[in-house]
Amino acid sequence: MEFVRYDVNKYSPRQMVTLPLVLLLIAGMVLGYTTLTTGLPLQPGIDFAGGTAVTVFTSDSRETIEATFSAYPLLSVGEGIGNGKYIKFGPMDDAQYQSLSALINEKYPDAKVDQIGETFGETLQGQAFFAVLLSFIGMSIVVLIAFRNLVPAGAVVLAAFSDIAITAAIMQVIGIPLSLGTTAALLMLIGYSVDSDILLTTRVLKRKGKLEDKLSGAFRTGIIMTTTTLSAIAAMWVVSTAGQIQIISEIASVLLIGLFVDLMNTWMLNAGILKEYVLRSGKK
């Protein structure tokens, strides 16, 4: 547990905030470029872009299924338990969809077909964006009321925003699509982020003692809390990936990425801002 005994006090505030801010800038560039080229900051899944999902139980290999549906906008072929296959298609016109339906009925008569229209997908996009925005606004108000000071409250909000932005950029780079499940994971990440940031801010601003002792104590407690959560989510990721439960695996992946990002943003970005704020207040 050497990391738990890591000395958070040996770095200056400027050194602490440099890496998180550079990564936040890079994340903004990635998300901005994706928005300019696709219209969305992340590659949408069929929940938001629209498409067709087909669930079948067949012994056919992934390669065979890909060859069968090569004439259609095939997105992915997921494999589940008991020869289960989850096939995703992108948006298509009515004629192509009718042709696809006929082929599915011919090859896999017991298949379950779910279709999401582009209009409905756009509606879900708007609702997801509103949910994230409302979460940020509510979180910001609560934090501002709790600390009644713009600097620590702003540091908490900035750290939470950085968590979401950097995690979303990593999702885009490694190919995790934005779906209802991964949106829920991003919302959960806001809660995890605020939890660790409020722990840090409360220990530093509302407890008596030396700044170094308060930072070290908050760091030890926060690391233990986060690593416990990481262990549970890692176990969920292993089970869902081994069982090929794609949506749970994607949610766990987003949470794992986000929690590691949160460790950096809490104990470098937020801690650096708070350290500078306390040192300046002491000089005054």
Side-chain angles (χ1 to χ4, degrees):
M1 298 292 288
E2 288 296 325
F3 189 59
V4 177
R5 295 193 294 270
Y6 175 76
D7 185 9
V8 71
N9 293 294
K10 70 180 182 179
Y11 297 106
S12 68
R14 181 173 296 181
Q15 289 175 318
M16 295 171 73
V17 303
T18 299
L19 177 61
L21 291 179
V22 169
L23 291 180
L24 178 59
L25 177 62
I26 295 173
M29 294 170 62
V30 171
L31 298 177
Y33 175 77
T34 307
T35 302
L36 289 175
T37 54
T38 67
L40 286 173
L42 282 171
Q43 183 66 34
I46 64 171
D47 294 340
F48 295 146
T52 305
V54 181
T55 305
V56 299
F57 289 91
T58 176
S59 58
D60 290 351
S61 66
R62 177 180 299 182
E63 291 74 17
T64 300
I65 294 174
E66 290 175 348
T68 301
F69 298 109
S70 60
Y72 302 92
L74 180 65
L75 298 178
S76 65
V77 179
E79 299 184 39
I81 300 173
N83 285 330
K85 303 292 191 301
Y86 190 61
I87 312 168
K88 294 181 181 180
F89 298 90
M92 61 190 85
D93 57 35
D94 289 338
Q96 196 173 24
Y97 176 73
Q98 294 300 327
S99 173
L100 174 65
S101 298
L103 179 59
I104 293 172
N105 288 330
E106 177 186 345
K107 295 286 294 183
Y108 309 108
D110 296 327
K112 178 185 176 183
V113 180
D114 297 306
Q115 186 182 26
I116 298 177
E118 290 187 62
T119 303
F120 183 65
E122 291 176 357
T123 301
L124 289 180
Q125 288 179 30
Q127 292 175 344
F129 175 78
F130 179 74
V132 174
L133 180 62
L134 188 63
S135 298
F136 261 102
I137 293 174
M139 177 265 294
S140 303
I141 293 172
V142 170
V143 170
L144 185 58
I145 292 173
F147 297 108
R148 300 178 184 178
N149 191 307
L150 287 176
V151 174
V156 172
V157 174
L158 177 61
F161 173 77
S162 183
D163 283 351
I164 300 301
I166 296 175
T167 301
I170 295 173
M171 288 171 58
Q172 177 64 24
V173 170
I174 66 177
I176 299 178
L178 183 65
S179 64
L180 289 175
T182 53
T183 301
L186 291 174
L187 290 172
M188 285 188 282
L189 187 59
I190 295 175
Y192 286 126
S193 172
V194 172
D195 183 44
S196 58
D197 288 322
I198 287 181
L199 165 71
L200 168 63
T201 307
T202 302
R203 291 285 186 92
V204 170
L205 297 184
K206 296 191 176 183
R207 285 195 176 185
K208 295 182 179 180
K210 294 181 178 180
L211 174 61
E212 293 79 7
D213 295 336
K214 291 187 290 185
L215 279 173
S216 297
F219 181 75
R220 285 192 296 270
T221 303
I223 289 296
I224 292 172
M225 289 171 52
T226 304
T227 50
T228 301
T229 306
L230 277 169
S231 300
I233 295 175
M236 181 174 72
W237 180 83
V238 170
V239 172
S240 59
T241 302
Q244 297 179 330
I245 309 172
Q246 185 176 4
I247 184 61
I248 302 299
S249 178
E250 288 179 351
I251 291 173
S253 298
V254 172
L255 289 175
L256 284 174
I257 295 168
L259 286 174
F260 279 112
V261 172
D262 181 57
L263 283 173
M264 176 191 68
N265 283 321
T266 299
W267 304 110
M268 295 180 71
L269 180 60
N270 195 1
I273 294 173
L274 284 176
K275 188 174 182 179
E276 179 68 15
Y277 171 73
V278 172
L279 291 174
R280 285 182 179 272
S281 298
K283 289 179 181 179
K284 291 180 181 179

